[in-house]
Amino acid sequence: MRLTNPDGRKELSPIAVLRVLVERGTALHLRQDGCLRNESVEELEWAWNGQTVRIGVTSVGQGPLVLLLPALSSISTRQEFAPLQRRLAASFTTVSVDWPGFGDLPRPAIAWSPTALSAFLDHVLDEVLQAPYATLSAGHAASYVLDSERERTGRAGRLVLLSPTWRGPLPTMFGRRLPIFRRVAQAVDLPVLGEALYRTNVNAPMIRMMVGAHVYRDRRRLTPDWMKSKRCVTDAPGARHASLRFVTGGLDRFNSREQFLDAARACQAPIDVIYGDDCPPKSKAEMDALAALPNVHSSIVTEGKLSFYEEFPEETASLVISRLASRPGDRTSTAKSV
């Protein structure tokens, strides 16, 4: 499949892709010039609960359309895909899209929920980028894609799940959801208390500790420039409303491992799972369970942690391109190390 002009005559560049989206009535506004040839950085406007949400979109490359969905976390944005996206751009038209409530743009004060994020994914797949050849999703985004595929098989194309998770950090740490988690998620909307709760989770020492332990193998990545880039994410107006809900499990699409695995079992699209061998043990146990399913092909990046695709983009791109070039259902290997 190749994304073509409405008359079907030729393949579209990323800029032309976004022009077609505008013609379809999707609100996209140029924000700044991209730094690579054929790269564009845009803003998508989406309405929820009567409020307009601005969402960042980056597209680059030519070829079959691949959608990239970043992880949900207090510091994650589509920019984490940039090194991988640029390597995939030689073979694919890649479009990375932030989640509402996340990213580095100002966000309205909305009580974000799994229903809202699922509705946004429906909008992207039905109205913005219809029938992608494949969808790459990281972390919790994988849960939303699996749930979407269970509802309407095939509309996300081939599935590549990077460090897939289904349970937020605090429920994972405690092994269950505690009643206080819901109260914290509700309190985050309060003007003063909510901001104070949020800052306990995103102060610099906490970010360095969590990222160094779970996200990157090489702590040297945590430079002052890196911290500055993450402050743009955590300090964006309205950031706390989605962030703490994710941390407390309020954005978990599934309530149990079995629901997570059942959604994957129900998928008719090919599923590839790629994750790091050094992921946090509790999260890795969930990834191992998913990888063991008969309709899943798994690949392991040696020594990689949760954000292996950002830390090792060359190896990740090689795995992704290899798997997307394979025949659906091909399980000639159960794991691959790089």
Side-chain angles (χ1 to χ4, degrees):
M1 185 279 291
R2 291 182 181 270
L3 192 67
T4 58
N5 274 320
D7 60 8
R9 288 182 298 178
K10 65 178 182 178
E11 187 177 303
L12 294 180
S13 69
I15 296 294
V17 169
L18 296 172
R19 187 178 301 120
V20 169
L21 300 185
V22 173
E23 291 171 355
R24 289 176 180 171
T26 300
L28 290 162
H29 309 291
L30 187 64
R31 184 153 63 98
Q32 65 183 56
D33 292 333
C35 59
L36 295 179
R37 184 172 63 86
N38 292 330
E39 180 177 349
S40 68
V41 180
E42 313 285 333
E43 289 181 12
L44 164 66
E45 291 186 354
W46 178 68
W48 182 254
N49 278 0
Q51 298 194 64
T52 298
V53 188
R54 295 163 54 209
I55 297 158
V57 180
T58 300
S59 64
V60 63
Q62 288 189 330
L65 177 64
V66 174
L67 170 64
L68 293 90
L69 298 169
L72 309 183
S73 90
S74 303
I75 60 173
S76 288
T77 75
R78 73 191 190 285
Q79 299 301 334
E80 293 177 4
F81 278 136
L84 174 61
Q85 188 171 5
R86 290 167 184 172
R87 287 164 173 80
L88 296 177
S91 303
F92 303 99
T93 296
T94 63
V95 180
S96 58
V97 183
D98 277 326
W99 288 95
F102 296 89
D104 55 5
L105 297 176
R107 304 147 226 186
I110 291 177
W112 295 105
S113 66
T115 299
L117 299 192
S118 287
F120 174 72
L121 181 57
D122 289 343
H123 175 71
V124 170
L125 292 174
D126 292 340
E127 304 295 335
V128 180
L129 298 172
Q130 297 176 358
Y133 175 71
T135 296
L136 274 67
S137 53
H140 256 45
S143 296
Y144 282 87
V145 172
L146 287 176
D147 185 63
S148 173
E149 278 296 290
R150 179 175 58 179
E151 296 297 322
R152 289 177 54 187
T153 296
R155 63 174 171 168
R158 296 189 62 156
L159 307 184
V160 180
L161 314 181
L162 310 176
S163 300
T165 59
W166 64 268
R167 188 168 54 180
L170 284 181
T172 297
M173 183 184 304
F174 286 90
R176 59 194 177 99
R177 289 186 180 86
L178 301 176
I180 193 173
F181 296 164
R182 181 183 294 274
R183 291 196 288 271
V184 169
Q186 294 170 341
V188 77
D189 297 328
L190 299 175
V192 178
L193 176 60
E195 185 67 21
L197 286 171
Y198 175 61
R199 290 300 161 188
T200 64
N201 182 60
V202 297
N203 61 70
M206 179 65 74
I207 291 175
R208 288 194 185 94
M209 180 187 70
M210 296 303 295
V211 170
H214 304 309
V215 179
Y216 296 139
R217 172 194 174 195
D218 187 355
R219 290 175 178 264
R220 290 175 297 180
R221 296 183 64 91
L222 310 183
T223 63
D225 285 343
W226 182 90
M227 286 297 299
K228 182 179 179 181
S229 71
K230 294 308 178 184
R231 301 302 295 187
C232 292
V233 179
T234 59
D235 292 350
R240 72 180 192 267
H241 302 286
S243 173
L244 270 189
R245 283 182 166 84
F246 163 72
V247 170
T248 57
L251 296 182
D252 293 352
R253 182 67 278 184
F254 301 117
N255 294 319
S256 68
R257 174 193 286 187
E258 203 54 37
Q259 288 183 359
F260 178 55
L261 298 182
D262 282 345
R265 292 186 185 102
C267 284
Q268 297 181 23
I271 301 176
D272 288 280
V273 172
I274 308 175
Y275 57 106
D277 201 31
D278 282 346
C279 281
K282 290 183 179 180
S283 296
K284 189 183 178 189
E286 306 301 324
M287 299 173 200
D288 287 339
L290 179 63
L293 296 181
N295 62 327
V296 173
H297 178 279
S298 64
S299 302
I300 296 178
V301 177
T302 303
E303 298 182 342
K305 293 189 177 183
L306 289 175
S307 196
F308 70 89
Y309 48 88
E310 184 181 4
E311 198 167 9
F312 306 108
E314 194 71 44
E315 294 89 339
T316 304
S318 177
L319 283 171
V320 170
I321 292 171
S322 173
R323 292 309 305 162
L324 293 184
S326 69
R327 297 188 305 275
D330 179 12
R331 290 180 54 87
T332 55
S333 65
T334 57
K336 183 181 294 183
S337 297
V338 291

